[in-house]
Amino acid sequence: KNCTNKDAVIAFKKPRALAFYTNRKSFILPNIFSVHDLRNELKINNSEYVLIDKLNREYQASAEFLVQNDSNVDLIFYNSRFEIYKVNNL
């Protein structure tokens, strides 16, 4: 919550829970495996952030693909359960 602006939109597999706990808009990345297409989804949703749940990896394969294969992604926060990435140059 402290790593993002109040108007940030975050890609996460459970957008309603994230919105409830953080007061941030959220959406689910579609299940596609193209860095170009995933970056386009972020642009469409006005988002620069991707949140990864390290313990429960269900429904986030495309988000994991993006952060592993896009060189313009920076880890900005992590703890034992979550990682938040900022996608640059959208």
Side-chain angles (χ1 to χ4, degrees):
K1 193 171 176 177
N2 297 328
C3 296
T4 61
N5 296 328
K6 291 184 181 195
D7 62 347
V9 179
I10 303 169
F12 185 55
K13 66 181 182 177
K14 295 182 179 179
R16 290 184 300 189
L18 184 66
F20 179 77
Y21 287 111
T22 65
N23 292 319
R24 303 293 193 276
K25 292 181 182 177
S26 184
F27 71 102
I28 299 173
L29 279 174
N31 199 25
I32 52 179
F33 297 95
S34 158
V35 169
H36 177 266
D37 292 345
L38 289 167
R39 289 176 68 82
N40 194 43
E41 285 294 322
L42 290 167
K43 283 183 202 175
I44 290 168
N45 287 283
N46 209 19
S47 175
E48 298 177 304
Y49 300 97
V50 176
L51 178 58
I52 301 286
D53 183 340
K54 297 190 297 186
L55 297 181
N56 183 358
R57 300 179 73 147
E58 258 184 327
Y59 308 114
Q60 63 184 22
S62 57
E64 289 180 0
F65 174 84
L66 179 66
V67 300
Q68 292 170 359
N69 293 285
D70 189 336
S71 60
N72 286 310
V73 174
D74 295 321
L75 178 66
I76 61 169
F77 173 82
Y78 71 93
N79 61 22
S80 61
R81 173 106 193 236
F82 297 104
E83 297 174 340
I84 299 175
Y85 293 87
K86 183 168 193 253
V87 181
N88 302 303
N89 303 322
L90 284 173

